[in-house]
Amino acid sequence: DAHGGIGPELRKKREEKGTFGAVAEAFMQDYAKDHRTRGEYQRKIDVDLSDWHGRQIADIKRADIKDLIRVKDFSKPI
């Protein structure tokens, strides 16, 4: 990156665009803004998926999703 003239600020911005938090924010602005369930979407993102906000989307695997569902299933059976 240094040879290409990309500084630390630009690199950080580029990395933040691919995080779950950035994608979730874009989803809320683009897709969910007109839905009546917008509040519920936002709550799930803020509460249930809060640990994922800083993770890169490419790093979230199917096993991570299964683990999240498994934990949710044991803590709230309905």
Side-chain angles (χ1 to χ4, degrees), residues 29-61:
Q29 290 176 357
D30 297 338
Y31 175 76
K33 67 180 177 182
D34 297 327
H35 287 251
R36 61 185 171 95
T37 56
R38 176 182 169 80
E40 184 64 16
Y41 285 148
Q42 190 65 55
R43 187 192 71 75
K44 289 197 180 291
I45 290 169
D46 292 342
V47 176
D48 297 337
L49 303 171
S50 62
D51 293 340
W52 291 6
H53 282 245
R55 289 181 68 181
Q56 293 292 317
I57 287 292
D59 294 341
I60 299 173
K61 304 295 181 207

Side-chain angles (χ1 to χ4, degrees), residues 1 5-12:
D1 285 345
I6 299 172
E9 301 86 18
L10 182 58
R11 183 177 179 181
K12 185 176 179 180

